[in-house]
Amino acid sequence: MRTPLFFRRSIQAKMILSFMTVSLIPLALLGWLSYSWYSDLVENRTAVYNAKLMRTFTADMDQFLQQIEQYSYTVYQDNFQTLWKESQKANEFGKIRNQLDMNSLFLRQEEFYNFRGIIQSVTLLDDEGFTFYENVEMVKKSHPFDIEPWFPAMQSGGRTEMLLGPYLSQAWLPESLLPEEKDVENCKLTYIRKVSDLQRPQATLGYIMIHFSLKEVQKFLEPLLLDSSATMMIVDREGNIVYDTDSRQIGQPISSAIGLPDDDADGYKVIRVGNKRYLVTSSALETVDWDVYIRNDLAVLLSDSRKMRNITLLFVLGSFGLAIFVSQFLSLGLVSPIKRLKNAMLKVSQGYLGVHAGKLSQDEIGELGRYFNEMISRIKYLIEQVYRAELHEREAKLNALQAQINPHFLYNTLETINSIAVVEGIPKVSEIARALSDMFRYSTKAGGIKVDVAEEIGHIRNYLDIVSIRFEDKLTVRLDIPTQLLSYKMIKLVFQPIIENAVFHGIEVKRGKGELVIQARKEGMDLLFSIRDDGAGMTEEQLVLLRNRLANPSTPEQSDTTAGKVGIKNVHDRIRFYYGDQYGITLNSELGVGTEVTIRIPAVPE
């Protein structure tokens, strides 16, 4: 990435940047940290305060709902259930008398729980969902409640109680009770409980519906928000707003920005709605599936911290102007000697080593000029030394070439051994001498490192001839090389190290006979050679270790430290060097089953 032109040309710009780094960044960082710390402190303390408010509300609300639940147990009194059963059989006069007795029982319970004026009405349904009692008219007597969506779940026993609402209208409400506008006082809640027969617990007598206004919930909230700018909201588990400080939102779905509370959350989060950010604290009620939210406008909470941020910004701007002035003043005494030193370096870069930096001051720039002069002198001396060293190295290489042994002497010696073995009638010695002679000739022949596949196969045939004599009947070799692949080019000495590993580390340590299979095929634009043995194999740990060594170019081959031995990593690295990283060796092995080595090289025709 290139350095911006502004910083490459002007040292004054660099000095300004330095002064800004020293002065502005710490101030900006301090201001940002202070603002962040204060913001987090305000958020945390507000969240803690809101949590206390909600604990107070949820405790009161849970207690209220528990009392509603206990109030519903009135229908489980023996005398009440007797009146219930008699009312279903009595004549009109008897029904009126029983209902008056029921009214009396409910009235005593209202006084006991201090529910006078809170419970608007109590409705009793029979087991089929028809109304047969209500102390204050709240439902249509002819309305069949079995068509309500909640009735089947209650009837089947899937639910025994539920809290319905808040609602402004329902199908069972008389037209005279339908409100004209949405208001907290007009929104109603209905607690419904399934009533069982005390004498026959499995039988259902019917259902009790207790109606009360949403304003009873609001009574618990108002004392908590008298001195607060926060707003409160209650949401059911389906995401519908049960109560909101803004009554127009009641019954609407909760904003997606707020979302339902997360069980793993810390109880509060910061959201953005439009251009405003809000601190939202949430809690859950225990007795009903409701979640309570308190929303605080962060702009109001953080008004003091913004003043501190603005003051810090003024200090940063003042420091910026001071940094520019000081850097301009100091640069006047620094730029001139640096320019002289730059011109001297420019001449050196053009190849002129006779340059000398003059007019050096006594400060650090002057020391830099003196070091520059010493460096130029040292460079000229080292150039002379390197030139002399190259001459000596060329002389040493020439002497080493002259001292090499003529390889033809070794060929002739092996041919002599072969001839003597034939005359003396020792065919195995003759075969070994011939094969070894061919291998040595193949390894040292001139013409570069590229050979035909046929030549490389011939080389490993010679090697396998020697090995087969040693192992006699223990080793079986099978070659499957298509004729059309023999004319392709490859680097030499690829197969022998791998076959050597297969024989001596796989088959030799195996009990009984072993088989070595060498196959080749063309796949797309590549040649694939497979060398597979059924020898001892490797453990999973050994295989992973060897694969890691092959994958890491900087890892040395363990066997490379042995003089004259070329390891499998050496072959892998040579293939990748000549053909690219997409080529090389892959390994598969299983302990006690054998090992397969796959070699991939590009298909280079003759």
Side-chain angles (χ1 to χ4, degrees):
M1 181 178 177
R2 296 186 61 188
T3 305
L5 184 64
F6 176 76
F7 296 104
R8 286 189 286 117
R9 286 189 175 181
S10 174
I11 193 171
Q12 292 177 338
K14 292 184 176 69
M15 293 184 65
I16 292 174
L17 179 62
S18 299
F19 277 96
M20 289 175 61
T21 302
V22 172
S23 59
L24 303 185
I25 292 180
L27 280 175
L29 185 61
L30 177 62
W32 178 78
L33 289 175
S34 300
Y35 178 75
S36 300
W37 172 82
Y38 185 78
S39 299
D40 291 341
L41 181 64
V42 170
E43 289 179 9
N44 291 332
R45 289 188 175 179
T46 303
V48 171
Y49 174 74
N50 288 346
K52 292 180 179 179
L53 289 179
M54 286 193 295
R55 280 198 297 270
T56 301
F57 166 74
T58 54
D60 293 343
M61 189 64 193
D62 283 332
Q63 184 180 6
F64 172 74
L65 294 174
Q66 288 171 4
Q67 289 177 340
I68 291 289
E69 180 183 5
Q70 293 169 1
Y71 177 79
S72 69
Y73 290 151
T74 304
V75 297
Y76 279 98
Q77 296 178 12
D78 291 336
N79 54 347
F80 195 97
Q81 289 209 350
T82 300
L83 294 173
W84 187 320
K85 294 175 183 178
E86 290 178 353
S87 294
Q88 294 177 342
K89 301 176 183 179
N91 54 28
E92 291 300 323
F93 177 76
K95 289 181 180 180
I96 294 173
R97 184 187 58 205
N98 290 341
Q99 287 187 3
L100 290 175
D101 292 338
M102 289 180 182
N103 288 344
S104 177
L105 290 174
F106 278 127
L107 184 61
R108 285 201 298 268
Q109 291 297 105
E110 286 183 11
E111 292 176 351
F112 178 80
Y113 289 108
N114 198 22
F115 278 170
R116 183 66 64 88
I118 294 177
I119 302 298
Q120 294 181 340
S121 174
V122 176
T123 303
L124 299 181
L125 310 177
D126 61 19
D127 58 347
E128 297 297 330
F130 290 98
T131 304
F132 80 92
Y133 168 84
E134 57 179 339
N135 55 6
V136 177
E137 183 181 6
M138 189 65 70
V139 302
K140 298 176 182 177
K141 290 186 178 297
S142 60
H143 180 76
F145 280 89
D146 58 344
I147 66 173
E148 295 297 326
W150 49 266
F151 191 84
M154 299 283 286
Q155 189 178 41
S156 63
R159 298 191 65 172
T160 59
E161 61 177 341
M162 65 177 297
L163 185 64
L164 186 66
Y167 57 87
L168 287 173
S169 65
Q170 290 286 352
W172 68 74
L173 283 176
E175 294 183 1
S176 60
L177 296 179
L178 294 177
E180 297 181 357
E181 60 181 14
K182 182 183 290 187
D183 188 285
V184 173
E185 191 168 349
N186 291 329
C187 291
K188 296 179 176 58
L189 294 164
T190 299
Y191 175 82
I192 307 172
R193 168 174 287 280
K194 183 177 181 180
V195 182
S196 300
D197 191 339
L198 291 177
Q199 296 178 350
R200 294 180 302 151
Q202 300 301 324
T204 302
L205 275 182
Y207 307 88
I208 180 173
M209 303 175 66
I210 303 174
H211 311 281
F212 56 97
S213 174
L214 183 61
K215 70 176 182 179
E216 304 303 331
V217 176
Q218 187 182 37
K219 290 178 181 179
F220 297 105
L221 299 175
E222 289 177 345
L224 304 179
L225 301 177
L226 289 177
D227 299 323
S228 173
S229 61
T231 59
M232 183 168 282
M233 177 175 59
I234 302 175
V235 180
D236 62 23
R237 294 300 164 85
E238 284 72 36
N240 298 315
I241 297 176
V242 175
Y243 171 82
D244 195 302
T245 307
D246 181 3
S247 59
R248 294 172 298 177
Q249 301 299 322
I250 296 175
Q252 300 297 321
I254 189 173
S255 169
S256 59
I258 299 177
L260 295 178
D262 187 355
D263 292 338
D264 297 330
D266 53 7
Y268 72 94
K269 59 183 176 181
V270 176
I271 65 168
R272 180 179 293 276
V273 179
N275 296 325
K276 290 189 174 183
R277 295 170 66 242
Y278 295 92
L279 174 68
V280 179
T281 312
S282 61
S283 182
L285 288 170
E286 295 180 0
T287 55
V288 66
D289 291 340
W290 285 357
D291 297 305
V292 186
Y293 296 84
I294 295 182
R295 294 167 297 183
N296 296 90
D297 189 346
L298 284 178
V300 177
L301 293 177
L302 303 179
S303 58
D304 292 337
S305 64
R306 287 191 175 86
K307 295 178 182 178
M308 180 177 64
R309 181 193 61 186
N310 295 336
I311 294 174
T312 304
L313 181 60
L314 291 176
F315 274 107
V316 171
L317 293 176
S319 299
F320 178 77
L322 182 63
I324 294 177
F325 173 77
V326 173
S327 61
Q328 290 284 358
F329 177 77
L330 294 179
S331 64
L332 295 177
L334 297 176
V335 172
S336 296
I338 291 177
K339 284 185 177 180
R340 290 195 296 270
L341 185 58
K342 183 195 73 172
N343 293 333
M345 291 181 177
L346 179 62
K347 291 181 180 179
V348 172
S349 67
Q350 295 171 348
Y352 179 64
L353 297 180
V355 70
H356 182 81
K359 297 183 180 179
L360 301 178
S361 59
Q362 299 301 316
D363 56 12
E364 288 79 0
I365 298 178
E367 290 186 28
L368 185 62
R370 285 187 285 273
Y371 294 149
F372 172 77
N373 293 336
E374 293 177 4
M375 181 184 66
I376 295 301
S377 301
R378 183 65 177 171
I379 289 174
K380 290 192 289 186
Y381 171 77
L382 291 176
I383 289 175
E384 294 176 0
Q385 293 296 318
V386 170
Y387 178 72
R388 292 175 184 175
E390 287 182 352
L391 291 178
H392 288 306
E393 183 178 357
R394 290 183 180 180
E395 292 176 1
K397 288 182 179 180
L398 181 61
N399 293 333
L401 290 173
Q402 293 173 350
Q404 285 183 341
I405 300 175
N406 188 348
H408 291 287
F409 173 73
L410 295 177
Y411 301 154
N412 295 335
T413 301
L414 291 172
E415 290 296 334
T416 302
I417 294 173
N418 182 28
S419 301
I420 294 173
V422 172
V423 172
E424 296 295 333
I426 310 174
K428 290 187 177 182
V429 175
S430 174
E431 292 178 13
I432 293 175
R434 178 197 56 76
L436 186 60
S437 175
D438 291 343
M439 290 179 63
F440 187 72
R441 184 178 292 108
Y442 175 78
S443 301
T444 59
K445 79 169 188 176
I449 66 170
K450 296 289 184 68
V451 296
D452 293 338
V453 172
E455 294 181 81
E456 182 73 1
I457 296 298
H459 176 64
I460 64 172
R461 285 183 186 275
N462 289 324
Y463 174 76
L464 289 171
D465 288 344
I466 297 173
V467 172
S468 298
I469 293 173
R470 173 183 174 185
F471 287 99
E472 296 183 350
D473 296 333
K474 182 178 177 66
L475 176 63
T476 301
V477 180
R478 179 161 58 89
L479 276 80
D480 182 11
I481 310 295
T483 305
Q484 61 270 25
L485 301 184
L486 295 176
S487 61
Y488 282 87
K489 292 291 185 180
M490 65 179 296
I491 60 176
K492 64 182 180 180
L493 295 177
V494 170
F495 298 144
Q496 180 191 336
I498 299 172
I499 294 174
E500 183 178 351
N501 284 337
V503 172
F504 290 101
H505 299 294
I507 295 176
E508 183 179 17
V509 298
K510 172 187 177 181
R511 292 185 179 181
K513 296 182 179 181
E515 182 182 30
L516 183 66
V517 180
I518 304 171
Q519 296 176 313
R521 71 179 187 276
K522 188 169 183 292
E523 186 179 281
M525 301 301 294
D526 297 336
L527 293 182
L528 268 71
F529 298 93
S530 171
I531 301 173
R532 185 175 68 254
D533 68 80
D534 59 354
M538 289 182 280
T539 64
E540 185 68 25
E541 292 77 10
Q542 291 173 325
L543 182 62
V544 170
L545 182 62
L546 185 52
R547 284 174 174 171
N548 290 339
R549 287 207 302 267
L550 293 180
N552 188 356
S554 63
T555 303
E557 169 65 58
Q558 291 182 345
S559 60
D560 287 347
T561 57
T562 305
K565 186 173 183 181
V566 180
I568 189 172
K569 177 168 172 56
N570 182 288
V571 176
H572 178 70
D573 290 345
R574 284 197 298 124
I575 292 174
R576 293 177 65 180
F577 176 77
Y578 284 106
Y579 298 125
D581 292 344
Q582 67 270 36
Y583 299 101
I585 291 173
T586 56
L587 293 167
N588 286 292
S589 183
E590 186 175 349
L591 187 64
V593 176
T595 301
E596 181 179 10
V597 179
T598 303
I599 304 167
R600 180 183 290 270
I601 62 173
V604 181
E606 184 177 5

